[in-house]
Structures are given as structure tokens and as C-alpha cells.
Amino acid sequence: MSEGKFIKKKTYYTGVVYEWNLPTGSSCPFALECKVTVDRIYGKFDVEKGAYRCYAASAERFPAVREHRWKNFDLVKNGGIPTIPKDCNAIRIHMSGDFFNQKYFDMWVQLAKDNPNIEMWAYTKSLQYWINRINDIPKNLVLTASYGGRQDELIEKYNLKNVIVYKSPILVPKERPIDNNDDWARKPSINFALLDNMRVSKKSAVADFNKSFSNGTLFETGL
């Protein structure tokens, strides 16, 4: 069984990127500070009182968005494998959602291995699944540990590439560039910062802060 729906994005990211999304909260077993779940049928939001709200949840107020994310979730929960579009060079795994069990995490590891010319990256709070395969992650799959989950202690213990969400740019340490289009998330081994979407305008805050950082080099697809 294979299908699923990718979303082709020509804005926000550098270059054309396909997103693979799951429902927020319901597919995030280790979320804590940002957890929001949205009822599949009625669109009712259930917000846990954390430090910040998951930005991806807001789109699920639209029935069509909820339904395609839930259909993707149904597919992979039942052992289905997403069909990667033929013209795809880059995949952002989980603009919404997360790795909800080890089997699903392993599926993406295998997809990355089977498609070495496709750049893939993801934020995750499901750190135990990553740790269990820490020596088996292919070069074209870049993972970023997201602070604010139930397994934060594993980030420092295993020296995982990570991101922290800040409420204001003045709170961001100088050694962490601020990401506003996933460019830093796509680079291996660089810890970076995000700004709370509900509190600050990224465009006005990020440009000056990042002047001291090189843009670096994104993964070369070879295509």
C-alpha cells in the first residue's frame, strides 16, 4: 500500500520543497510545551498550557487541511508508505506532526536511504526513536531535536543537533542563528533558534541578528 499527499511549496523555503504532514498533537507522543490537538471532525482545539503554541495547528481550522493530514496519518499507521513525487528534490518531513512510533521513524530512515539524492529534514521531539538508530541515519536525512518535549535530557546526553524557541530575539544567544525559512534546519550539526510565531515578527527580527552568520551550504542533491 502506498499513496499519501505531499504539499508542494514554492515559497517560504529556499527552492521547491515538498512537505509531508500529519495532524498536530495526535501524532506527537513526546510533545509538551507546544502540544495542541485538533478534533478531526469538528476542528475543536485542545491546547495544553505550555510555553508556546504549535504554529502548525492553526491551519487545521480548515477542514480540507485536517482531512489530508489525517488521511496521511491513517495511511502510515496502517503500514502504508508515502509515494514521493517524481520531481521531488527536497522533503520537509512534518511541518506538522512528528514521528509517532519506532516503525514509522524507521520507514523514513529507509526512504532516505532508498533516495540518496533527495534532501530530507525534520524537527522532532521523539528523541528515543532517533537514539535507537543514531548510527544508522543517512547523510541526506538531517534531524533537529526540538527542546520543550518529554525527552529533553537526551539532547545534551547524545549531543544532538537542536533548536530552542525564544520569545524575543534579544534572548537568543549569539552562537545560535535564528531560522526563518528552514535553511539552518537543513544543515547538519548546527544548533539554532526559532522565534515564537505568536509573539514576534520573524522578518523584522531575524535579518540583523543573522548578519554575522554564513549562509553555509545546503545538501547537494546532484540533480
Side-chain angles (χ1 to χ4, degrees):
M1 174 170 48
S2 63
E3 285 181 18
K5 182 178 181 180
F6 285 84
I7 303 297
K8 189 175 185 177
K9 301 294 288 289
K10 296 183 179 180
T11 59
Y12 179 73
Y13 304 104
T14 298
V16 178
V17 172
Y18 279 89
E19 290 180 352
W20 173 262
N21 295 320
L22 301 178
T24 57
S26 297
S27 64
C28 305
F30 298 101
L32 184 62
E33 296 292 351
C34 65
K35 190 164 185 176
V36 179
T37 56
V38 185
D39 183 87
R40 179 175 185 173
I41 305 301
Y42 301 106
K44 181 180 178 181
F45 282 62
D46 183 4
V47 182
E48 292 195 9
K49 302 299 182 182
Y52 53 93
R53 177 174 170 177
C54 176
Y55 76 95
S58 60
E60 292 186 27
R61 67 187 184 276
F62 300 111
V65 174
R66 293 199 303 275
E67 190 57 18
H68 105 250
R69 292 180 181 180
W70 275 95
K71 284 184 176 179
N72 283 353
F73 197 22
D74 290 341
L75 173 78
V76 292
K77 282 193 299 182
N78 290 308
I81 299 173
T83 299
I84 298 174
K86 292 182 179 180
D87 65 340
C88 177
N89 294 324
I91 297 175
R92 164 69 145 91
I93 307 169
H94 305 147
M95 186 282 292
S96 66
D98 204 345
F99 302 106
F100 57 87
N101 64 27
Q102 188 71 60
K103 182 178 180 180
Y104 176 66
F105 180 90
D106 293 348
M107 181 205 74
W108 277 108
V109 171
Q110 190 60 51
L111 277 175
K113 290 179 178 180
D114 292 343
N115 297 275
N117 289 327
I118 297 180
E119 176 194 10
M120 302 183 188
W121 71 97
Y123 298 80
T124 184
K125 289 181 170 67
S126 298
L127 305 183
Q128 187 61 59
Y129 307 144
W130 179 359
I131 297 305
N132 291 342
R133 304 291 184 265
I134 198 165
N135 295 317
D136 198 36
I137 308 298
K139 180 181 177 181
N140 62 318
L141 175 58
V142 176
L143 300 172
T144 298
S146 180
Y147 270 103
R150 300 181 187 278
Q151 298 187 320
D152 283 1
E153 72 279 359
L154 297 177
I155 297 175
E156 184 174 348
K157 181 177 180 180
Y158 289 93
N159 193 29
L160 302 178
K161 169 182 163 68
N162 65 79
V163 63
I164 299 175
V165 177
Y166 294 88
K167 295 179 180 180
S168 167
I170 65 173
L171 300 175
V172 180
K174 292 183 178 180
E175 66 271 15
R176 285 184 182 262
I178 300 173
D179 203 335
N180 70 331
N181 64 354
D182 262 22
D183 275 0
W184 294 103
R186 297 166 75 167
K187 302 182 183 78
S189 306
I190 298 175
N191 300 329
F192 59 97
L194 291 175
L195 297 179
D196 187 336
N197 290 269
M198 299 299 187
R199 294 177 181 267
V200 65
S201 169
K202 286 185 177 183
K203 288 185 178 180
S204 63
V206 174
D208 289 340
F209 187 94
N210 280 345
K211 283 181 180 178
S212 61
F213 293 94
S214 168
N215 285 333
T217 302
L218 297 180
F219 176 78
E220 296 293 339
T221 64
L223 298 178

